[in-house]
Amino acid sequence: DKPKRRPAMKSAFVVVANRLPVDQTTDPDGTVRWRRSPGGLVTALEPVMRANKGAWIGWSGSSDDGDERQEPFDEAGMHLIPMQLTSDDVEEYYEGFSNGTLWPLYHDVIAQPVFHREWWDAYTKVNERFARAAAEVADEGAVVWVHDYQLQLVPEMLRALRPDLRIGFFLHIPFPPNELFARLPWRRQILRGLLGADLVGFQRPGAAANFLRLTRRMLGHQTQADRAILADGRIVRAGAFPISIDMAELEEIARRPETEARAQEIRDEIGNPDKVFLGIDRLDYTKGIGERIKAFFELLNEGELSPEEATFLQVATPSRERVEEYKALRNDVELLVGRVNGAHGRIGRPAMTYLHNSFVRTELAALYRAADVMVVTPLRDGMNLVAKEFIACRYDNTGTLILSEFAGAADELRQALLVNPYDVDGLKQALLQAVRVEPREASRKMRAMRRYLAEHDVDRWANTFLEKLAGRPEL
Ligand code: GDG
């Protein structure tokens, strides 16, 4: 007897993202468990997921060449549908086209994007699989929300399979202007892919404008302020929906006595300098890690700062470690940190502490509490949640945020010390200014940014997007 397959569960709300919102962990005895991954997206979508029997389609993170299919399962109140990627898929679709072509192209070509036709083929094939999985699980007239640069073809593919669906797309990273986007050999296919959605969301208004301009130029569609009107009369809206964080959750962790104690311990362990600079980033060439260390190094060299006055704590979370550019970046950053400490550290008292590691959320909160100055200097960044998380943790209105103009967050956090990370002298000035700021001045700015974030949290982001997606465009 063949085992009977359960009829597949249908959902009224489906999220499609490169990764599932859970991470697989294996106990010492070999038992496999799932743990909800940290991050605002899951938190924000949880209520919608629960109210609509939501399903989440994504890659589990492992690459399995065997044909053992991972079955859908329920975890943390969500229906999860794992997508299998082979090691070739990981290499060509994920590390290749997503992170070797699109990521650098969409981030101002800080690194050279690499174009390979095999990577594009793999990208198309994997996007098709995700689209088919979504078509299978979505109920009649369901809302499907597709996320990020790895899945830009899914909206069009899904619409072809299921014209009854309401499809939204959100891009978490920047969307480039024509001058850069035009290099992409598959530029029209990508635009058509995105235009399969009813609503295309970006972090910043400029990105939405780039997208609409490109659909007009490259595909000849008519566009108006916030929309493209396709030849068949269908309207695709585009707009900015700046993502945010779960401020209350993070603030609650920050206020715990044990977090405060840990923050004090961290300061003690790095030698109790007057001021602590902090950087927390994925180790990525877009984040401007080298730029900020160079500025700090010069200030030490010139005697403008001493390690007793200020030390730098840099957390660099391992990321995309098999991609060439990331290996080179790691070498560059680690060389620089070695130089700073070689020149300015003393036994038992480094000038910089560098951690190439990832930490649990409570430890991150303690780090945000231990710092005086948060240094966020990306060369280009869709939003940058780290800047917002720092603010969430500063419930006593202390601390200064140095923020790159090239992060999406700079549109909202106007009271930060805004910097151009390419301008080393400007960066140095900002570091000094932050160390010497009047406490009252710092507190006034922090209070204003906290007030803004309290109103613009990740719930509001998700709801604004989903309400707009549900509404029909007025003509
Ligand atoms: C992309 C866009 C956009 C970091 N280290 C650890 C850890 N983190 C967490 C941070 C923060 C998140 O990772 C990083 O978010 P960012 O926004 O700073 O940057 P990307 O990873 O590049 O994110 C970006 C974002 O998508 C959302 O749309 O803002 O522009 O590039 O939450 O706290 N978390 C844990 N351990 C670590 O060691 N648990």
Side-chain angles (χ1 to χ4, degrees), residues 90 163 272 298 337:
V90 175
N272 259 317
E298 286 193 15
V337 172

Side-chain angles (χ1 to χ4, degrees), residues 288 290-296 299 375-377 402 419-433:
E291 281 73 6
R292 76 182 72 133
I293 299 177
K294 220 169 283 167
F296 177 63
L299 289 173
V375 192
V376 182
T377 57
I402 295 180
V419 293
N420 168 4
Y422 291 97
D423 172 12
V424 187
D425 288 331
L427 262 185
K428 285 161 71 181
Q429 265 171 27
L431 291 174
L432 286 180
Q433 207 180 323

